[in-house]
Amino acid sequence: RPEPDATEFSPEPQAGAHGASRPTRTIRPVGRATVRAVARPPSMRTPFFEDLCAEIRGIDLGDDTLLSDRLAARVRESPEGVDHEAWLLLAVLRARDDDAAGALEALAHARAGGGPVATIEFLRAHLLVERGDPSAATAALDAAAADADDSVASADIEHARGALAWASGDLSAALRHFRAALDDDPHDAPRWLQTGRALAEAQRWDEAERAFS
């Protein structure tokens, strides 16, 4: 395993390019026991992946299974009449049902139908990791960065690169990407939490405690 990066992490606020897109962190004391308890194995599912899925899923649309069945029926009856927004929704519903292959298929249709490239490629990256294809996931994040728009911030793409590196076993690279994401936007609490878990994995307890606090 590569040696953890020596960059020091600090929770002190810094000017970010995107401002406080999510609630700012609340500072409160934690102990090393808490750091150990909060740390857990890495996941490619970054905080913004979950936020983006929730945004696409929306509310008041009924039960996931029923909604997915209705969309699948539309696809069977008239696939050419399904727009990219419906394909995106179907992809998210399949992802929530742990059907990564089905979600990737729906995302391919969404992109072919003119859907937002950054959003689609960002989602694809996470699902490709679940399918065991980190190289394709890296390419998807590159595509998302090349076509970045207001739907996906550069800090979220950088953090996703870190999550991919961590899931691939390169903790040093993960911490570098997490640091770059926090430099870009230091006000994102879920991003600090995942960074703290990586620091705990690296046994950098003091920095992890600060990240969690």
Side-chain angles (χ1 to χ4, degrees):
R1 173 179 295 181
E3 288 299 317
D5 185 71
T7 303
E8 183 173 351
F9 286 74
S10 169
E12 292 302 317
Q14 301 175 33
H18 298 285
S21 57
R22 299 187 184 93
T24 56
R25 302 168 59 251
T26 300
I27 305 299
R28 50 183 177 271
V30 297
R32 184 161 298 182
T34 302
V35 170
R36 292 178 183 273
V38 174
R40 66 186 184 191
S43 169
M44 178 55 191
R45 293 214 171 186
T46 59
F48 187 64
F49 174 85
E50 304 295 348
D51 289 349
L52 192 55
C53 286
E55 180 180 337
I56 293 169
R57 170 62 177 84
I59 58 175
D60 298 330
L61 293 179
D63 177 76
D64 272 17
T65 301
L66 294 176
L67 183 57
S68 182
D69 288 346
R70 287 200 297 270
L71 286 170
R74 284 179 57 191
V75 169
R76 288 192 300 270
E77 293 167 5
S78 179
E80 66 280 0
V82 180
D83 62 19
H84 72 265
E85 291 183 352
W87 280 116
L88 266 176
L89 176 56
L90 183 58
V92 166
L93 292 170
R94 288 174 173 175
R96 285 161 60 106
D97 195 37
D98 294 324
D99 179 9
L104 286 166
E105 178 187 13
L107 288 173
H109 285 288
R111 177 152 186 183
V117 173
T119 295
I120 291 167
E121 294 299 327
F122 186 83
L123 295 174
R124 283 187 69 246
H126 291 72
L127 296 166
L128 286 164
V129 170
E130 294 182 16
R131 296 282 292 170
D133 196 345
S135 295
T138 298
L141 288 176
D142 290 342
D147 208 274
D149 54 30
D150 292 340
S151 66
V152 182
S154 59
D156 290 309
I157 295 174
E158 193 66 33
H159 187 90
R161 293 187 193 279
L164 172 57
W166 190 11
S168 301
D170 190 345
L171 187 55
S172 178
L175 288 169
R176 287 196 300 272
H177 286 298
F178 287 166
R179 173 74 274 175
L182 289 168
D183 285 344
D184 191 357
D185 178 6
H187 305 292
D188 188 280
R191 209 179 287 142
W192 274 107
L193 180 61
Q194 196 166 33
T195 299
R197 289 176 179 140
L199 288 164
E201 172 73 12
Q203 298 185 14
R204 291 163 60 171
W205 304 115
D206 291 342
E207 294 168 78
E209 184 175 340
R210 291 197 298 272
F212 289 140
S213 62

